[in-house]
Amino acid sequence: MPDIVYSLEMIGIIAFAISGMMVARSKNMDPVGVFTIGFITALGGGTLRDLMMDNHPLYWIKHEEQPILILAMAVVFSYWKHTERIRPSWIVFPDAIGLGIFSILGAQLALDLGHSWFIASLLGVMTGTFGGALRDTLCNDVPFIFRKDQIYASISFAGCWLYFLCQWGLESETLSLTIGLLFIVIVRMAAVRFDIRLQRDPT
C-alpha cells in the first residue's frame, strides 16, 4: 500500500504541476513564474495541511525529489515550443486528477494521524483545493473553488466521505481509495462537460 500511495502522490504532483504551468504559460510568465506557479499548485495544499496538523518536516522537504521534478517540468514547459499550443481549457483534466488524488490522500493522512472523519474530510478538501486556489489567485483569476459556475470543493468533500464509507464497509484500503479517487475525477469532469453547478443564475 505505501508504494501505491507514493505512486499516486507523484501522479498527483505531476498533474497539478501541469495544470499550474498551463496557466502560467497562458499568462506569458517567464521560467521562474512557470516554476513558482507549478510548485504552488502541486504542493500548496499539502503544505497547508502539514502546517495545520503540525506534521513536520513538510512532506516535500522530506521528499526533495518532488520539487526537483517540478523544476525539471518547468524547464520543459518554458523552453519546449510545443507547450505554446496548449489551450487554457485543457487544464480541466490534470486539475481533476490532482483534485482527486490529493483530496483522498490528504483525508487518509488525517485519519492515520487520529483525526475524525469530519476533520479528515476538511483536511482532504484543503489538500485538494488550496494549491489550485493559490494558482488562480496569483494568476489574477477567480479560483475554481469560489466560482458559481463550478462544482469543485463539494465534489472533493463528497469524495472523501465516499472513501470513508467504502473503507468502513468494504474493509479494503486499496479499493476504497480507488473508488473515492475515481468518483472525484469523473464527477468533476462530468460537471464541467455538462455544466452542472450547485446554483444557477435566475432567468
Side-chain angles (χ1 to χ4, degrees):
M1 188 63 188
D3 291 340
I4 295 176
V5 170
Y6 183 76
S7 297
L8 286 174
E9 287 171 349
M10 296 304 291
I11 293 171
I13 286 170
I14 292 171
F16 258 162
I18 288 174
S19 75
M21 292 175 192
M22 282 181 176
V23 176
R25 287 289 289 165
S26 72
K27 301 292 184 179
N28 295 316
M29 292 189 182
D30 67 6
V32 174
V34 171
F35 170 73
T36 301
I37 299 301
F39 180 93
I40 287 173
T41 307
L43 301 176
T47 298
L48 180 62
R49 175 205 63 212
D50 287 345
L51 290 173
M52 293 194 71
M53 293 195 300
D54 197 26
N55 185 35
H56 296 286
L58 300 180
Y59 196 82
W60 60 267
I61 293 178
K62 187 165 54 175
H63 296 274
E64 66 175 344
E65 67 274 11
Q66 295 177 349
I68 290 173
L69 172 62
I70 295 171
L71 177 60
M73 291 174 63
V75 171
V76 172
F77 258 79
S78 298
Y79 295 106
W80 190 37
K81 63 181 180 179
H82 293 292
T83 59
E84 297 176 356
R85 302 175 185 174
I86 294 174
R87 300 175 184 174
S89 59
W90 293 356
I91 187 180
V92 175
F93 182 60
D95 187 78
I97 293 175
L99 177 67
I101 289 176
F102 283 118
S103 295
I104 300 301
L105 294 185
Q108 181 194 53
L109 177 60
L111 287 181
D112 291 343
L113 293 176
H115 296 288
S116 68
W117 283 11
F118 180 69
I119 296 301
S121 66
L122 294 182
L123 289 167
V125 172
M126 182 184 302
T127 307
T129 64
F130 190 72
L134 284 176
R135 172 199 65 210
D136 296 338
T137 301
L138 291 173
C139 293
N140 201 31
D141 294 324
V142 178
F144 284 150
I145 192 174
F146 300 134
R147 288 170 55 177
K148 289 176 62 177
D149 63 338
Q150 300 282 342
I151 301 180
Y152 201 73
S154 54
I155 295 174
S156 171
F157 187 75
C160 289
W161 278 92
L162 178 60
Y163 163 66
F164 300 153
L165 293 172
C166 289
Q167 191 181 46
W168 172 72
L170 299 176
E171 298 183 353
S172 170
E173 180 65 28
T174 302
L175 182 58
S176 301
L177 190 150
T178 302
I179 292 173
L181 194 162
L182 289 177
F183 171 85
I184 294 174
V185 175
I186 292 172
V187 174
R188 172 61 184 155
M189 294 296 296
V192 174
R193 174 64 178 82
F194 299 106
D195 191 25
I196 302 170
R197 58 184 79 177
L198 292 178
Q199 180 183 4
R200 291 189 177 276
D201 295 326
T203 56

